[in-house]
């Protein structure tokens, strides 16, 4: 379940980033938008996927 939510967050982040209205018009704003999307959406999605994979590996080893 964590994997599905993680991939959902990653896709949501990428779609939202490309629909951002002023992306590319100003360097500082573009950099801030990239950092904001990474911190709020992309990184938690990646961490959810990694966490679920670690739990699956631990269950199979026991």
């Amino acid at each position: 379940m964590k994997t599905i939510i993680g991939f959902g967050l990653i896709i949501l982040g990428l779609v939202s980033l490309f629909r951002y209205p002023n992306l590319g018009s100003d360097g500082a704003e573009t950099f801030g938008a990239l950092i904001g999307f990474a911190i709020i959406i992309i990184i938690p999605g990646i961490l959810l996927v990694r966490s679920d994979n670690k739990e699956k590996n631990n269950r199979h080893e026991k």
Side-chain angles (χ1 to χ4, degrees), residues 2-15 41 45 48-49:
K2 287 182 185 179
T3 303
I4 295 169
I5 295 171
F7 282 129
L9 277 175
I10 292 169
I11 292 169
L12 174 71
L14 292 174
V15 169
I41 296 177
L48 278 170
V49 172

Side-chain angles (χ1 to χ4, degrees), residues 27-51:
E29 186 174 358
T30 300
F31 185 70
L34 290 173
I35 295 296
F37 280 110
I39 290 173
I40 294 172
I41 296 177
I42 303 294
I43 292 176
I46 292 171
L47 292 175
L48 278 170
V49 172
R50 288 183 63 195
S51 171

